Amino acid sequence: MTDATPLTLFNSLTRQLEPFEPVHPGEARVYSCGPTVYNYPHIGNMRAYVFADTLGRTLSFKGYKLTHVINITDVGHLTDDADAGEDKMEKMAAQQAQSIWDIAKHYTQAYWADVAALNIRQPAHWSIATDYVPQMIAFAQSIADKHCYELPSGLYFDTSTVADYGRLARAATDEGEGRIDPVEGKRHAADFAIWRKTPPGESRQMEWDSPWGRGAPGWHLECSVMSRALLGLPFDIHTGGIDHREIHHPNEIAQNQAIQGYDAEHGHLDCAVHSGARLWMHNNFLIDRTGKMSKSSGEFLRLQLLIDRGYHPLAYRMMCLQAHYRSELEFSWENLGAALTRLKRMLMSAAPLRDVAPADAVRHPKLQPLLARFEAAVSDDLNTSVALTVLDEVLATKKVPAEEKRALVETMDAVLGLALLTLDREALRLRPKGAAIEESAIEALMAERKAARAAKDFAASDALRDKLIASGVEVMDGDPLGWEWKLDHGA
Ligand code: AMP
Ligand code: ZN
């Protein structure tokens, strides 16, 4: 791609937009904090991966060779991000009376299914935390002398041993507001467990021997270890949801400073330079006022619920792309419906381009500026909502060579991931789980109604319409998108 519009990204560490300057020329190495696989992800969690995927796709579009790592947390994450509560995985396994390994396997598969449904590209590595326990122990041993202390409950990281602890969170470290300090003997409230010993008389399903006794690694340790092992320090970009800016990532940064001090044989490295990644990026939250996002509520907002209600998963991807990743996004069924309609429109406009061979280059004077504007939009801290409006313009452009238009739509869709040239319009019409009527019966009633109208038998036509409505079918006469009917979503 051109150098005319350099890629600029928002760095949470400096709270500023910064040009992307790769550590290794021509490459982009990205690490994304992945799910804790104790339950299904909710759609808010999936926003984090749509964001990371959009970032990865943009880096590829800009010509960088991307190496993306997403981890799977199958050990160590407590019900509270500070050192309080129980291990999420152990708790779920006990509740469901199942092996923790089976729980992890089941929910990892479920997460991967959502990843595929949202057209999120496969990263170069899915790193599974439990595969890295020996490296975690080795890492902890390297930094233990200078940076850690032992308590009966485990090995703790002393946050006063690194410069500028908590800079990412912009919080006062020691008296940090709202920080609970449930562990007796901790030197500072913000100190965190690197290794948690299994309490005497108890056993965990997942535990390993270590120099500090049998137990399990702390959650923060795993991301430092896996990112360093797979990408090398420093790498380019670390991503996660905005909640990680407060505890998890400051703790990863502290560990990264410590290990780099160990590698370089001098301590106390500068936080900004030795955080481990050049850029720390965070997506804002998806918020939901219906109260269904909590995993503890019975029917919670997971992708499958959207599908059961007849919304194609890519409508949710569209909904995410319509907002900036740094803005809160409010979920509502109406917004999702609007996103579905927009996707439908785009698919219809792109349909004639499907069988057209793409041109090698986009040169037409009407199209070239649109490519430049698209590139400027995504290069401006991933402004996908503007990019989508440019795509709308491309699709509406007339009297241009179809081959070039096809090439342009293909290029843009490679960044947005909406499957515009492969998804069938019919595939968007998912059948809501609660629907009582078969599609063939709807088509038959619609045909009967058409015949009645042609015969000017309006009483019969109205009766058929009422019958369809009573079965949950919305009759869409004169729909500009050419849809004759749709099944009510029942949302
Ligand atoms: P977890 O499985 O809890 O570790 O979370 C997985 C990812 O989802 C993390 O990057 C979180 O920061 C992110 N996340 C959690 N809740 C939301 C939300 N409501 N909206 C967007 N991202 C979220
Ligand atoms: Zn992490």
Side-chain angles (χ1 to χ4, degrees):
M1 282 301 131
T2 64
D3 293 329
T5 43
L7 177 61
T8 307
L9 299 168
F10 187 82
N11 187 358
S12 298
L13 202 53
T14 56
R15 300 288 199 272
Q16 275 177 4
L17 288 165
E18 292 177 9
F20 175 71
E21 284 159 4
V23 175
H24 306 272
E27 276 193 52
R29 301 187 185 184
V30 181
Y31 182 91
S32 301
C33 282
T36 306
V37 285
Y38 72 105
N39 202 337
Y40 297 106
H42 58 53
I43 56 172
N45 298 137
M46 295 314 293
R47 188 183 185 198
Y49 309 110
V50 170
F51 152 63
D53 182 52
T54 308
L55 172 66
R57 286 169 176 270
T58 301
L59 288 161
S60 300
F61 166 66
K62 299 290 284 184
Y64 297 104
K65 180 179 165 287
L66 175 72
T67 308
H68 190 190
V69 175
I70 306 180
N71 76 287
I72 301 285
T73 296
D74 54 356
V75 65
H77 195 172
L78 302 190
T79 47
D80 187 286
D81 282 357
D83 293 314
E86 301 163 74
D87 185 299
K88 289 186 179 189
M89 299 290 303
E90 296 270 346
K91 186 176 168 196
M92 190 57 139
Q95 264 173 16
Q96 300 199 353
Q98 276 195 44
S99 135
I100 204 163
W101 301 98
D102 289 345
I103 298 269
K105 191 168 163 205
H106 176 79
Y107 292 114
T108 303
Q109 299 289 350
Y111 164 70
W112 282 338
D114 284 3
V115 162
L118 288 168
N119 206 17
I120 291 169
R121 294 195 308 184
Q122 290 287 319
H125 306 275
W126 293 107
S127 59
I128 315 269
T130 47
D131 289 345
Y132 286 82
V133 175
Q135 286 96 315
M136 293 183 210
I137 293 173
F139 186 114
Q141 275 180 305
S142 306
I143 63 171
D145 281 357
K146 276 195 187 163
H147 300 276
C148 304
Y149 56 94
E150 209 174 332
L151 293 178
S153 53
L155 184 71
Y156 287 82
F157 190 98
D158 182 339
T159 50
S160 71
T161 62
V162 288
D164 228 358
Y165 172 77
R167 174 175 171 156
L168 180 67
R170 293 280 195 279
T173 51
D174 231 332
E175 273 72 54
E177 289 156 60
R179 277 279 179 100
I180 9 157
D181 183 15
V183 180
E184 208 172 311
K186 277 212 293 194
R187 294 181 188 164
H188 315 92
D191 293 355
F192 55 92
I194 286 226
W195 188 265
R196 281 179 299 114
K197 295 185 205 177
T198 307
E202 285 183 25
S203 71
R204 300 170 43 103
Q205 284 198 41
M206 280 184 176
E207 53 182 9
W208 294 262
D209 285 323
S210 84
W212 315 282
R214 225 171 145 64
W219 171 45
H220 315 298
L221 182 59
E222 59 190 59
C223 286
S224 283
V225 169
M226 292 188 286
S227 57
R228 176 168 172 256
L230 291 164
L231 299 176
L233 296 187
F235 55 94
D236 294 297
I237 307 176
H238 195 310
T239 80
I242 197 154
D243 51 333
H244 289 346
R245 215 174 63 177
E246 308 309 314
I247 297 177
H248 181 49
H249 290 170
N251 292 353
E252 269 189 67
I253 288 174
Q255 294 165 157
N256 293 348
Q257 286 173 268
I259 197 76
Q260 289 174 95
Y262 170 81
D263 288 343
E265 289 176 3
H266 62 90
H268 243 73
L269 296 171
D270 179 65
C271 170
V273 183
H274 297 99
S275 72
R278 287 235 170 127
L279 295 163
W280 291 78
M281 294 178 69
H282 296 95
N283 62 281
N284 212 322
F285 264 30
L286 179 80
I287 45 175
D288 159 55
R289 299 195 200 284
T290 67
K292 283 205 168 167
M293 202 121 86
S294 160
K295 294 184 188 180
S296 50
S297 66
E299 185 190 50
F300 73 86
L301 268 178
R302 44 181 286 230
L303 201 61
Q304 189 59 44
L305 181 66
L306 272 46
I307 295 168
D308 288 348
R309 292 207 177 173
Y311 294 92
H312 194 279
L314 289 179
Y316 178 64
R317 185 175 177 110
M318 173 69 95
M319 192 179 147
C320 292
L321 295 176
Q322 284 178 338
H324 194 268
Y325 75 89
R326 280 198 286 129
S327 306
E328 273 187 354
L329 171 60
E330 180 157 352
F331 177 80
S332 72
W333 295 103
E334 291 72 33
N335 286 350
L336 185 64
L340 179 62
T341 303
R342 188 166 190 196
L343 182 58
K344 219 182 264 179
R345 263 180 218 281
M346 283 192 173
L347 275 183
M348 281 184 68
S349 317
L353 302 173
R354 284 195 178 198
D355 299 326
V356 175
D360 294 337
V362 177
R363 293 200 185 85
H364 193 277
K366 276 192 188 170
L367 295 178
Q368 218 178 25
L370 291 169
L371 175 58
R373 276 173 52 207
F374 179 86
E375 183 171 357
V378 293
S379 303
D380 175 17
D381 196 28
L382 316 180
N383 196 334
T384 47
S385 70
V386 170
L388 282 167
T389 61
V390 180
L391 174 57
D392 277 332
E393 283 186 50
V394 172
L395 290 170
T397 305
K398 304 227 162 39
K399 301 201 176 96
V400 289
E403 295 75 13
E404 287 199 27
K405 192 166 164 177
R406 152 91 203 206
L408 191 48
V409 171
E410 200 173 311
T411 302
M412 293 180 170
D413 195 47
V415 178
L416 299 167
L418 292 168
L420 292 181
L421 294 163
T422 48
L423 191 68
D424 289 330
R425 189 172 77 127
E426 287 68 32
L428 274 190
R429 184 145 69 188
L430 295 186
R431 183 179 168 75
K433 207 176 170 188
I437 182 167
E438 292 297 326
E439 279 75 355
S440 55
I442 301 174
E443 293 291 358
L445 288 168
M446 288 295 296
E448 233 183 282
R449 179 168 171 265
K450 210 171 186 177
R453 278 162 63 127
K456 301 213 166 358
D457 185 350
F458 296 111
S461 137
D462 285 351
L464 285 160
R465 182 194 176 96
D466 290 346
K467 195 167 170 185
L468 283 158
I469 292 172
S471 312
V473 180
E474 189 183 326
V475 178
M476 299 164 77
D477 293 332
D479 175 46
L481 301 184
W483 295 75
E484 296 189 319
W485 57 268
K486 77 172 190 220
L487 273 163
D488 276 347
H489 291 304

